[in-house]
């Protein structure tokens, strides 16, 4: 699987990265065995980049990912985690659950926003302990939407020092919006932006400012949320878009995208996976999975041939702007219709 270095530095990421929110019991429980098998399947498919966070299952994702990678040579993979939410023991000692935050785990801890320099150090130390590893390759500021000034003034300089000392290899920011990451690109020396849901077949907001800024500065972007919470895997009434039922106009647009893809014998999710690679700043696409089957399906879709005629028709039908960059064609003919397996639900 192709690899790219982030921001021209030394940290390499594979073309496809495994997002590990589902390993933290996102929406529903996953067994330890299934979590381990999912990571193994990703490894067998050539994936060498793994993303997690303390937020995911109150640390469960980090613990499971660390356990699954423990016997792998440490210099053969790239691991990213995040800072900004400290996990503090809950006084009720897990009497409730964490489903209000989307995770089917006991509420043993509560999340406390902390973008201070001390908070960054404490968060990374706790993550290393949960992972059982000696280093994190990429440290990302996690969703500082309401803490932008503190993240710029305190958390970012702490990460910059850690990078200079060689404690982490690359630093960046991970968000579901593009405006604040674009500000970080202008005002700091981050290596990478993890942008979720804002550069997809349905939403190209990242193309307005963030992606051109990254390309101009030689920085990298990892695209998450390419299925927009599931709508681009199987558009139908009740499908979710940005974690809520899709509004009818958005659903209608997704159905039109699907119709064009079907006309060219291409599953919609295959086009959704490949689309971000049309932009030169995109280094990797990050997708979640909760089973080996979902991993294998994702890899299969990424490798499907996509004809140039598909992108041309999406432009003709005004489903993509004429100047939106698209990836190079991987097939020149009209593909045969494909048998569709049941698409996986997309963890974010």
């Amino acid at each position: 699987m192709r690899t790219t270095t982030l921001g021209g530095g030394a940290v390499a990421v594979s073309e496809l990265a495994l997002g590990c929110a589902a390993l933290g019991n996102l929406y529903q429980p996953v067994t330890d065995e299934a979590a381990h098998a999912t990571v193994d399947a990703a490894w067998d498919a050539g994936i060498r980049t793994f993303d997690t966070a303390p937020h995911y299952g109150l640390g469960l994702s980090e613990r499971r990912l660390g356990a699954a990678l423990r016997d792998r040579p440490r210099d053969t993979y790239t691991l990213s985690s995040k800072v900004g939410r400290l996990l503090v023991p809950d006084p009720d000692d897990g009497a409730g659950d964490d489903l209000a935050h989307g995770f089917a785990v006991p509420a043993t801890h509560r999340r406390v926003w902390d973008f201070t320099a001390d908070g960054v150090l404490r968060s990374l130390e706790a993550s290393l302990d949960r992972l059982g590893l000696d280093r994190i390759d990429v440290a990302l500021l996690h969703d500082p939407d309401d803490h932008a000034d503190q993240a710029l003034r305190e958390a970012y300089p702490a990460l910059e020092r850690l990078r200079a000392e060689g404690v982490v290899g690359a630093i960046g920011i991970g968000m579901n919006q593009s405006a604040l990451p674009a500000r970080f690109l202008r005002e700091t020396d981050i290596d990478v932006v993890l942008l979720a849901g804002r550069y997809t077949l349905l939403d190209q907001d990242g193309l307005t400012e963030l992606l051109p800024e990254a390309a101009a500065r030689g920085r990298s972007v990892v695209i998450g949320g390419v299925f927009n919470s599931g709508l681009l895997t199987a558009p139908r009434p009740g499908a979710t878009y940005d974690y809520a039922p899709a509004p009818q106009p958005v659903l209608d647009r997704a159905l039109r995208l699907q119709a064009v893809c079907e006309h060219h014998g291409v599953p919609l999710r295959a086009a959704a996976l490949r689309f971000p690679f049309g932009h030169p700043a995109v280094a990797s696409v990050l997708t979640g999975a909760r089973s080996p089957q979902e991993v294998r399906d994702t890899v299969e879709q990424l490798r499907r041939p996509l004809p140039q005629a598909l992108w041309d028709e999406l432009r003709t039908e005004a489903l993509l702007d004429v100047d939106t960059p698209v990836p190079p064609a991987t097939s020149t003919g009209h593909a045969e219709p494909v048998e569709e397996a049941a698409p996986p639900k997309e963890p974010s």
Side-chain angles (χ1 to χ4, degrees):
M1 188 172 290
R2 180 179 61 85
T3 63
T4 305
T5 57
L6 295 177
V11 176
V13 293
S14 51
E15 182 179 27
L16 192 63
L18 181 67
C20 296
L23 305 192
N25 289 3
L26 180 68
Y27 305 133
Q28 63 191 51
V30 172
T31 65
D32 290 343
E33 293 76 15
H36 201 298
T38 299
V39 176
D40 286 346
W43 189 275
D44 292 343
I47 294 171
R48 294 295 183 269
T49 303
F50 304 87
D51 176 76
T52 184
H55 172 55
Y56 302 156
L58 295 172
L60 179 61
S61 173
E62 289 184 318
R63 290 192 296 273
R64 284 175 162 173
L65 180 60
L69 292 174
R70 194 147 300 144
D71 295 330
R72 309 288 186 182
R74 185 61 189 88
D75 60 352
T76 59
Y77 63 88
T78 295
L79 187 145
S80 63
S81 195
K82 306 182 183 73
V83 300
R85 293 174 173 94
L86 290 177
L87 302 182
V88 177
D90 191 277
D92 294 330
D93 196 28
D97 59 48
D98 194 50
L99 285 172
H101 295 95
F103 295 93
V105 297
T108 56
H109 292 70
R110 56 188 178 88
R111 300 165 180 84
V112 176
W113 291 103
D114 193 329
F115 287 95
T116 64
D118 180 66
V120 166
L121 298 176
R122 290 166 58 198
S123 180
L124 289 175
E125 182 179 7
S127 288
L128 288 172
D129 183 63
R130 287 187 291 267
L131 288 160
L133 298 174
D134 61 357
R135 74 176 189 274
I136 289 170
D137 302 294
V138 185
L140 300 169
L141 298 163
H142 197 188
D143 294 335
D145 302 71
D146 299 323
H147 311 271
D149 290 340
Q150 186 179 49
L152 276 163
R153 188 177 61 252
E154 301 181 46
Y156 165 73
L159 290 180
E160 189 177 45
R161 287 192 294 272
L162 292 173
R163 183 181 59 185
E165 294 166 0
V167 177
V168 297
I171 61 175
I173 186 170
M175 300 193 73
N176 294 288
Q177 57 141 300
S178 61
L180 186 56
R183 179 183 172 188
F184 268 79
L185 284 168
R186 290 191 301 270
E187 298 182 19
T188 73
D189 190 31
I190 58 173
D191 303 286
V192 59
V193 172
L194 170 53
L195 181 66
R198 302 285 77 85
Y199 193 56
T200 74
L201 282 176
L202 276 172
D203 185 336
Q204 288 102 54
D205 180 71
L207 195 58
T208 303
E209 181 181 14
L210 189 151
L211 284 158
E213 193 75 44
R217 296 176 181 274
R219 302 309 180 200
S220 298
V221 180
V222 174
I223 300 297
V226 291
F227 301 130
N228 284 119
S229 303
L231 183 59
L232 290 179
T233 61
R236 60 183 181 275
T240 54
Y241 173 77
D242 285 355
Y243 315 108
Q248 191 63 45
V250 177
L251 174 59
D252 291 343
R253 188 176 184 86
L255 289 168
R256 291 177 61 205
L257 286 165
Q258 179 173 254
V260 172
C261 289
E262 288 177 345
H263 178 238
H264 294 275
V266 173
L268 175 58
R269 62 190 188 281
L273 276 166
R274 178 55 60 182
F275 166 72
F277 289 108
H279 198 282
V282 174
S284 179
V285 164
L286 182 149
T287 63
R290 65 179 69 250
S291 69
Q293 293 77 16
E294 290 187 4
V295 171
R296 288 190 284 267
D297 177 79
T298 299
V299 173
E300 178 186 347
Q301 300 311 320
L302 185 67
R303 291 173 176 166
R304 281 189 183 275
L306 301 184
Q308 180 61 42
L310 166 65
W311 308 115
D312 292 342
E313 186 171 349
L314 289 174
R315 286 169 166 163
T316 299
E317 295 296 317
L319 292 167
L320 287 178
D321 289 342
V322 67
D323 56 351
T324 299
V326 296
T330 51
S331 171
T332 56
H334 185 91
E336 293 298 319
V338 295
E339 285 291 327
E340 279 284 16
K345 182 177 181 180
E346 181 201 35
S348 74

